[in-house]
Amino acid sequence: MNIGNMYGGALNRLFCLAMAVACYTCQAQDVYVASSYDELRAMLQDPGVEIIELRADITVAESAKADGSGLYMSGRYVEIRGAWHPVHITSDDGCKRAFYVAGGGQLILFNIKVHNVGTCDESDCHGGGVHLADGSLIGGDAVIWDNCKACGFGGAVYGNVDADVNFQVGAVFTNNQAGWAGGAVFQENC
């Protein structure tokens, strides 16, 4: 009788079970669900939220700005995933910026279409879709930026000197306009 074979199968199964539990524990992350502008705004400002799944199209109620209004986030990593492709983030009048990312924040988008958003105020005029400040980052995949407008730089995306614009192969920019330069993307000192 070979004792190694007798216990080996049980030990292998126990080891595999322990590894599966350990891998699940380290990879499991809470996914928060947003179905309205107010829910999305609250989640972007909650430091405990990293992954948001959008389950409805969102109409931006107020322009995102450096003062913390609108869809503003700062200093942390957040993924926004559309439950289908694409989930729309839009404004009713085309004069509201979708996102403002500051403080080295990282906003990653998946399966999202940002369209008919923009800046119409000369005092806050850069980045119609998103304004990146203070070394922040925008990235993701399967993102469509359509009909975004800025009266300054960067119709869809504006990044300051330290910002990072990092989209995978699935980013599409169509019909974006800027009053000064960078209809789709404008990054300072690039």
Side-chain angles (χ1 to χ4, degrees):
M1 174 189 235
N2 186 338
I3 295 183
N5 286 340
M6 187 168 88
Y7 294 108
L11 288 175
N12 280 342
R13 284 191 295 280
L14 183 60
F15 176 77
C16 288
L17 179 62
M19 289 304 295
V21 169
C23 287
Y24 176 78
T25 319
C26 66
Q27 292 177 2
Q29 294 179 330
D30 292 330
V31 176
Y32 295 83
V33 176
S35 297
S36 71
Y37 170 81
D38 291 331
E39 289 174 348
L40 178 58
R41 185 175 191 279
M43 289 177 192
L44 281 173
Q45 296 180 358
D46 182 340
V49 174
E50 284 188 11
I51 301 173
I52 302 167
E53 181 176 280
L54 285 183
R55 293 200 179 157
D57 292 340
I58 302 294
T59 300
V60 176
E62 64 181 318
S63 194
K65 297 183 179 182
D67 65 6
S69 59
L71 298 178
Y72 171 90
M73 63 167 281
S74 179
R76 60 197 189 85
Y77 177 91
V78 175
E79 285 181 20
I80 300 177
R81 303 173 181 170
W84 61 85
H85 180 69
V87 172
H88 295 229
I89 296 176
T90 188
S91 74
D92 54 358
D93 62 2
C95 285
K96 294 178 184 81
R97 178 187 296 122
F99 298 103
Y100 195 102
V101 184
Q106 299 176 23
L107 179 60
I108 310 298
L109 304 174
F110 297 99
N111 295 331
I112 301 291
K113 181 176 183 179
V114 180
H115 69 106
N116 197 39
V117 296
T119 61
C120 299
D121 180 357
E122 289 293 329
S123 66
D124 183 26
C125 59
H126 304 317
V130 62
H131 184 117
L132 303 172
D134 311 320
S136 297
L137 175 140
I138 185 82
D141 197 10
V143 182
I144 301 167
W145 301 87
D146 177 57
N147 200 32
C148 301
K149 298 178 211 75
C151 51
F153 293 116
V157 178
Y158 168 81
N160 71 359
V161 176
D162 299 323
D164 189 6
V165 178
N166 188 5
F167 288 104
Q168 304 302 318
V169 293
V172 176
F173 295 87
T174 58
N175 303 317
N176 301 293
Q177 302 169 6
W180 298 345
V185 177
F186 184 88
Q187 188 163 3
E188 287 183 23
N189 292 339
C190 252

